[in-house]
Amino acid sequence: MKRPLFRRCSHAPGTLSPEDQAVVDQFRASLTALRNPKPWTPGTALDIAVRIGPFVERAHTRPGDDHGPDMIAVTLVHPDTPHAHAYLHGRQLGYADRGWLRCQTSAILGTWQPAYALLSHAAANLPLPDDVGMTPAHYGVHVEARRTDGTGNTLLRLGPYAQTWIASRDAYRLNTELAGSAATVIPGFITVTAKDAPFNVSDHDSYVSPYGIDVTRLLADALAEIRG
């Protein structure tokens, strides 16, 4: 008589121990959560579930920067937050000190549910990858002049902005100013445009803080300087 290839130690074939049953129930709950995500509404300040590769992670949204249609700011947290052990375990696995990150809304599964915890890196006791597919959510605005051959100069750097929508708003204001003024033409350059970009912390001395200042005045000064 052939013996079965796999048997549970100390349990009759076909039966589940309470511990095994708990694991099975948790796994079923995770599948149910994936199939029936709770819709997330921008601006509600609720934690969200985001995909990072094949895993699902918990993220806090940043107040005031959680209503963009395509991109919001989040910070990844250990799935057991705010329990005491989550801080130490989260630090060991790389959840801490990542700061605010840019998260595409297409990566959001929905509002966070405890059942998602089994699908996280923490549940597998794996560190988060260095590249989680999200760039830092500190922004700058760069005003760039381009030549016909594609080369150019950066005339002005503004930043850092803590909220993405403020950076986008200032870039729009500057582009409106550029489009409405024929005096912005610079000899040797064909275009002058403003665009929001990641804030380069290592080059912070080249940035001008945009807070409490009229950014269009800063633009006029930068253009006057390059014209000599």
Side-chain angles (χ1 to χ4, degrees):
M1 181 176 178
K2 293 184 179 180
R3 293 180 181 272
L5 294 177
F6 301 98
R7 296 185 64 184
R8 290 185 178 84
C9 184
S10 302
H11 299 288
T15 65
L16 290 175
S17 70
E19 295 80 6
D20 288 341
Q21 187 63 56
V23 172
V24 171
D25 291 343
Q26 189 178 14
F27 182 70
R28 287 174 175 168
S30 298
L31 291 179
T32 299
L34 284 175
R35 292 169 181 163
N36 302 284
K38 294 180 181 179
W40 170 71
T41 302
T44 55
L46 295 175
D47 284 358
I48 59 175
V50 296
R51 287 192 181 276
I52 296 180
F55 295 88
V56 177
E57 297 296 340
R58 182 178 182 179
H60 292 328
T61 58
R62 182 161 66 186
D65 206 10
D66 60 350
H67 55 271
D70 302 312
M71 192 80 67
I72 64 171
V74 304
T75 185
L76 300 175
V77 296
H78 190 281
D80 293 334
T81 300
H83 298 296
H85 81 279
Y87 176 79
L88 178 59
H89 195 222
R91 182 166 291 280
Q92 292 172 340
L93 298 181
Y95 284 84
D97 301 325
R98 287 183 178 263
W100 294 105
L101 303 170
R102 302 177 66 187
C103 177
Q104 292 184 346
T105 53
S106 59
I108 300 173
L109 294 177
T111 302
W112 174 259
Q113 303 180 54
Y116 287 133
L118 185 64
L119 306 175
S120 67
H121 285 80
N125 205 32
L126 293 173
L128 285 173
D130 291 336
D131 182 5
V132 295
M134 303 180 194
T135 55
H138 289 103
Y139 288 85
V141 171
H142 295 177
V143 178
E144 298 181 348
R146 290 287 169 184
R147 303 181 182 88
T148 55
D149 62 359
T151 61
N153 293 340
T154 300
L155 308 183
L156 178 66
R157 292 182 175 92
L158 300 174
Y161 292 86
Q163 296 182 332
T164 57
W165 69 271
I166 298 179
S168 296
R169 181 201 63 187
D170 278 2
Y172 178 81
R173 288 180 60 198
L174 294 176
N175 281 320
T176 300
E177 185 78 6
L178 289 166
S181 175
T184 58
V185 177
I186 302 173
F189 295 87
I190 59 170
T191 62
V192 181
T193 56
K195 63 180 181 179
D196 50 345
F199 177 73
N200 187 347
V201 177
S202 64
D203 196 24
H204 63 90
D205 287 338
S206 69
Y207 285 79
V208 179
S209 174
Y211 294 101
I213 299 176
D214 182 356
V215 294
T216 59
R217 181 70 260 170
L218 292 174
L219 173 65
D221 291 344
L223 291 172
E225 182 177 348
I226 197 171
R227 293 193 198 102

